[in-house]
Amino acid sequence: MYRMVPVKIFRRLVWGSMVLAGISCRGYRQLSVEVLQPSLIPVSTEKRIALLDRNIWRKDSVVVMAGDIFGELQQDVSREFYRGMSYIAAGNGFSDTIIRLPLSCPVILEKGEQPVALSADTVWDLCRKFKADYIVSIESSAFVEPSNRSLNWERTVYLYSPFSGQFLDSVVLTGKFRVMENAYTLYEDIVIDSWDQGENYAKRIMPYWSEMVRRVYVRGKVLRLGYSYLKAEKGKIESSIGFYNFASVGQNYTDNLVSGYGYPEAVVPMIQFMGNDTVFAVADNRIMFFKGRQKPESLLENMISEEIQSVFHDEDHVGLVFYNTSAESTYRVEIYDTNAKMVREIAFNLEYKDILFS
């Protein structure tokens, strides 16, 4: 089973799904692969995270009104959120990464009142005391008034850095529950959802493995797969590009990996076959071309200093679209051929969704 990192390019490099490209085909083979999904706020494995649930609730929250059930629920939802985070962390090499700080005394906010953010001194003190590199703080929780027999859950979570004492990221996690006559069934649903929210938040700040089925297309007896892999270590990132060959040529190589290249301080969101023997890949700071029917080898790479807005291609051309800052037109597209040569540059003003080559 192969482990790969998928990424897809958008205007601000929003992470998406892996591109597996094939050759014009008479059929395909399905592979079950484990894919490392990149996170929005990457936290490397050697970092330690302290989870702080400040136990802040809105006064008009339905759960606050539930009286004696509320105390138990506070403990359970906080514990399950921690367990959900720990589950994702443990499955992805983050051993003993997350620690749970004691649940704070409950704070009930008046309607419209906002919780006070953690001060920089508090963040520094917590990080020093618990030897943590980050503080994940649950700032407030509330159950919005039910409508249509449903109950809406909102939990606001902040990620604080000890270097600045300020938060690096904030997100509101939400859930929706069906209101039933049996209060304990609703209670159980809320607790289970807290585990799910813990998992979802862990995926936001750390990469995680997920199993997917991918198609690899076949031309005759040649079966090829290209991938890009991103890793973060000691505060630095490095991307790798590799090529598998599942035909007879690939049997002479370990795990059928016939060639591979590393790119420090680069993110490679896209890799794509063009025809039978050319591959291109796009990074946040360059475009790379590879040649070879059986064993693709690096042909050329062109460095890029501007932010790529979008990428279009066919079997003969690749187009990179940029904002055109030096002219009156809004956009500029650079067009490359399969020999990595830029053959044309066009400025244009039209808003677009797709670009087709003719």
Side-chain angles (χ1 to χ4, degrees), residues 184-201:
Y184 286 96
T185 301
L186 176 61
Y187 182 107
E188 182 177 323
D189 289 343
I190 292 170
V191 171
I192 292 173
D193 183 75
S194 294
W195 173 294
D196 294 339
Q197 288 199 10
E199 284 192 354
N200 292 336
Y201 187 74

Side-chain angles (χ1 to χ4, degrees), residues 128-339:
R128 182 169 56 251
K129 181 178 180 180
F130 295 100
K131 298 180 180 180
D133 298 287
Y134 297 96
I135 301 293
V136 170
S137 175
I138 301 176
E139 298 290 287
S140 64
S141 301
F143 287 85
V144 184
E145 294 180 3
S147 60
N148 299 324
R149 297 190 62 79
S150 66
L151 191 65
N152 297 322
W153 162 282
E154 293 182 356
R155 178 189 273 120
T156 306
V157 185
Y158 285 78
L159 177 68
Y160 288 91
S161 165
F163 300 105
S164 64
Q166 305 298 316
F167 67 86
L168 303 174
D169 177 57
S170 66
V171 64
V172 177
L173 304 175
T174 60
K176 189 173 185 178
F177 309 96
R178 183 182 176 187
V179 177
M180 295 167 284
E181 294 181 1
N182 188 335
Y184 286 96
T185 301
L186 176 61
Y187 182 107
E188 182 177 323
D189 289 343
I190 292 170
V191 171
I192 292 173
D193 183 75
S194 294
W195 173 294
D196 294 339
Q197 288 199 10
E199 284 192 354
N200 292 336
Y201 187 74
K203 292 174 182 179
R204 182 179 176 86
I205 64 174
M206 61 184 71
Y208 62 98
W209 292 103
S210 61
E211 186 170 304
M212 295 185 179
V213 174
R214 289 290 187 248
R215 292 180 178 182
V216 182
Y217 289 92
V218 184
R219 179 182 175 86
K221 295 183 179 180
V222 179
L223 187 62
R224 295 183 290 177
L225 170 66
Y227 77 93
S228 64
Y229 178 91
L230 173 71
K231 65 179 180 180
E233 188 173 350
K234 296 182 179 180
K236 296 183 179 180
I237 61 171
E238 179 176 353
S239 293
S240 298
I241 290 179
F243 298 95
Y244 290 98
N245 187 319
F246 297 99
S248 57
V249 172
Q251 305 305 314
N252 300 318
Y253 295 84
T254 303
D255 294 330
N256 298 90
L257 182 62
V258 294
S259 61
Y261 301 89
Y263 300 93
E265 298 298 324
V267 177
V268 183
M270 185 176 188
I271 178 170
Q272 180 71 49
F273 278 89
M274 302 169 64
N276 293 333
D277 63 354
T278 305
V279 183
F280 79 90
V282 179
D284 58 339
N285 60 3
R286 71 194 76 185
I287 181 171
M288 300 87 84
F289 289 85
F290 306 85
K291 279 277 191 180
R293 182 183 294 269
Q294 301 289 350
K295 181 183 176 182
E297 296 181 347
S298 178
L299 173 64
L300 189 69
E301 60 182 76
N302 293 325
M303 301 303 294
I304 296 170
S305 59
E306 302 171 73
E307 182 179 357
I308 300 171
Q309 302 304 308
S310 49
V311 181
F312 301 94
H313 69 91
D314 62 11
E315 289 194 351
D316 301 311
H317 301 94
V318 180
L320 304 181
V321 179
F322 306 89
Y323 279 126
N324 198 9
T325 57
S326 61
E328 295 181 357
S329 58
T330 306
Y331 300 106
R332 173 175 56 84
V333 58
E334 294 180 355
I335 302 175
Y336 295 83
D337 63 15
T338 55
N339 293 315

